[in-house]
Amino acid sequence: MTINTPYHVAVWGPGDVGSVCIRGAIRRPELEVVGAYVYGEHKDGVDIGTLVGKDPVGVAATGNLAQFLAVDCDVVIYTALDFPGGPAEQDFLTLIKAGKNVITSLPYSYLPARSEDFKQAL
């Protein structure tokens, strides 16, 4: 199968897991990393390739939520940490409300463990 147009992916939280996702995606011609949302000021504005120890890819990471949400992508890979009282549920809802397709390794398919607000919003 030949892919004419690469699938555009963005990564929310390029720490340990997100960096692995980015490194894997930049090796694949059918994928193009078009954005990354970062938390640390030292990562803001850094080329995504450089951020994960690879050659620059020409795309800067951003810590600006509005800038990240404006990125035209086919999917956001959400890799930020999830912990009780943390922002993951709200982040997820922000992405969905912005019209983004989201995939994550977090256990969102197990809805009984999620808040009522989150379940109602889906």
Side-chain angles (χ1 to χ4, degrees), residues 6-18:
Y7 199 73
H8 295 144
V9 299
V11 176
W12 181 303
D16 293 333
V17 175

Side-chain angles (χ1 to χ4, degrees), residues 6-118:
Y7 199 73
H8 295 144
V9 299
V11 176
W12 181 303
D16 293 333
V17 175
S19 292
V20 170
C21 293
I22 291 171
R23 284 192 296 274
I26 61 178
R27 289 193 325 254
R28 307 291 309 175
E30 62 271 12
L31 299 174
E32 182 179 353
V33 182
V34 295
Y37 183 71
V38 296
Y39 294 100
E41 287 183 26
H42 64 287
K43 294 180 180 182
D44 191 15
V46 176
D47 185 278
I48 294 168
T50 303
L51 192 64
V52 300
K54 296 294 184 183
D55 291 334
V57 297
V59 177
T62 184
N64 180 297
L65 180 58
Q67 238 179 357
F68 180 76
L69 293 176
V71 169
D72 185 21
C73 62
D74 297 305
V75 68
V76 173
I77 303 172
Y78 186 91
T79 61
L81 296 175
D82 186 20
F83 53 90
E89 283 186 7
Q90 187 55 51
D91 294 344
F92 220 74
L93 293 175
T94 296
L95 289 166
I96 291 168
K97 289 176 184 175
K100 304 295 184 187
N101 295 311
V102 182
I103 61 173
T104 186
S105 59
L106 300 178
Y108 281 90
S109 61
Y110 187 65
L111 288 178
R114 297 293 161 190
S115 72
E116 247 347 277
D117 289 342
F118 183 80

